[in-house]
Amino acid sequence: MVTLDSDIGFQGKHDNEEYDFHYYRHWIKFVLPFAIMSVGYVVIFLIFTAFVQQEVEDALVRHTFLAICIFLTLLLHFNFLKEFYVRFLYVVIVTDKTVHRIRKTLFFTDDHQSIHLKSVQDVKKIKHGILPNLFNYGKITLEAQETTLALHYVPKVKRVHEKLLKLQSKVKTS
Amino acid sequence: MTAVFLCVGFCVFILLTEFILWKRFSACLKGIDLPFLGNSGLITKKRINVFCILHTIFLCVFICYMILAGW
């Protein structure tokens, strides 16, 4: 959770709202692609080394195996890189009046969902399981009359939840 | 000789793909307009760039090793 100057500008900001804080998804979301890539590299390397030591005579078999190994390595690598970049393109920005969720991918997605705190009826915090309790992350849902905004992998979920409740009550009383 | 040509070809392919992905990432970041990757904090734009360069070098070396050893 990061706080910057209140007059900071960002995509979709209204003129009369003031920035409060923003956050990115919890780092645990990034662990799985990293683990897949690391394990994948090790497995490919071990299989490849074992195959090379066999000294296969048939060139076609050798080249086919090499092509498969290269293809899998590139796939692992670019999948990891995509996840790495996308991590920084999913951001939730909270202002004194609105919650903005900006979600982008490198080529296909460019979403911006906002919900006014005035219209929010319920702010739910969900923190189930061992990992969320161990690493302090969870899910927050903002429920309005016709729409729901679900925020997954919220870091320091308790603090964010409390802040949202405070902002909501402030907006409703003003 | 074929193996060397393959190495060069794959390295060029990797560099191009990395560059395209990095360019798209920069364009998407500009679209958000939030200066979150500033000069403070653990993760900065500069560190992301360094990480991507190191990752590219590692991949090129790994692929070249595979081609030269397995061809």
Side-chain angles (χ1 to χ4, degrees):
Chain A
M1 210 165 76
V2 186
T3 306
L4 300 165
D5 294 336
S6 59
D7 59 343
I8 209 91
F10 58 87
Q11 180 186 310
K13 187 189 176 195
H14 301 294
D15 293 334
N16 57 346
E17 60 182 342
E18 269 187 22
Y19 165 91
D20 202 287
F21 69 94
H22 76 275
Y23 72 83
Y24 302 95
R25 283 184 294 183
H26 194 269
W27 55 263
I28 200 101
K29 182 82 175 103
F30 186 58
V31 166
L32 190 65
F34 184 74
I36 290 171
M37 186 197 69
S38 308
V39 172
Y41 268 138
V42 172
V43 169
I44 289 172
F45 181 75
L46 290 177
I47 293 173
F48 182 77
T49 313
F51 184 81
V52 168
Q53 281 171 354
Q54 297 290 317
E55 291 179 359
V56 179
E57 291 291 316
D58 191 349
L60 184 68
V61 175
R62 230 173 43 236
H63 295 167
T64 311
F65 182 78
L66 183 65
I68 292 169
C69 282
I70 289 173
F71 175 75
L72 288 176
T73 309
L74 290 177
L75 200 71
L76 276 172
H77 167 81
F78 288 123
N79 180 53
F80 168 75
L81 207 63
K82 186 204 82 188
E83 292 290 338
F84 177 76
Y85 284 140
V86 165
R87 177 175 157 67
F88 302 107
L89 299 175
Y90 183 112
V91 58
V92 174
I93 306 163
V94 180
T95 68
D96 59 340
K97 293 184 180 72
T98 320
V99 177
H100 300 269
R101 190 188 72 183
I102 300 171
R103 198 179 63 170
K104 291 186 178 193
T105 58
L106 292 178
F107 294 100
F108 302 111
T109 317
D110 187 359
D111 292 350
H112 187 150
Q113 202 178 348
S114 310
I115 193 162
H116 289 276
L117 285 168
K118 213 169 194 173
S119 65
V120 171
Q121 291 168 334
D122 197 10
V123 184
K124 278 184 191 162
K125 181 190 87 177
I126 300 156
K127 199 176 170 188
H128 289 169
I130 297 168
L131 284 181
N133 281 295
L134 201 64
F135 296 114
N136 196 17
Y137 70 94
K139 180 183 168 187
I140 288 178
T141 50
L142 302 163
E143 288 176 9
Q145 203 155 18
E146 287 175 354
T147 173
T148 304
L149 184 65
L151 309 171
H152 300 272
Y153 294 97
V154 181
K156 294 173 188 164
V157 64
K158 196 180 164 194
R159 245 172 80 187
V160 173
H161 183 245
E162 279 169 3
K163 266 199 150 188
L164 283 172
L165 286 176
K166 218 178 263 178
L167 283 170
Q168 190 202 13
S169 62
K170 208 170 155 187
V171 165
K172 289 208 168 166
T173 50
S174 65
Chain B
M1 201 62 194
T2 318
V4 175
F5 278 126
L6 274 172
C7 282
V8 174
F10 270 108
C11 285
V12 170
F13 169 74
I14 290 163
L15 283 171
L16 271 177
T17 316
E18 288 271 359
F19 181 71
I20 290 166
L21 290 178
W22 179 80
K23 261 289 197 213
R24 281 296 308 154
F25 174 65
S26 298
C28 288
L29 269 189
K30 271 181 195 158
I32 292 173
D33 287 336
L34 194 67
F36 63 95
L37 296 166
N39 294 321
S40 59
L42 181 71
I43 297 161
T44 60
K45 184 83 190 290
K46 201 177 167 188
R47 283 183 186 167
I48 288 179
N49 294 346
V50 171
F51 171 79
C52 290
I53 290 166
L54 290 177
H55 201 234
T56 309
I57 292 168
F58 169 75
L59 186 70
C60 286
V61 171
F62 193 71
I63 294 287
C64 287
Y65 159 74
M66 282 168 92
I67 293 169
L68 294 173
W71 189 254

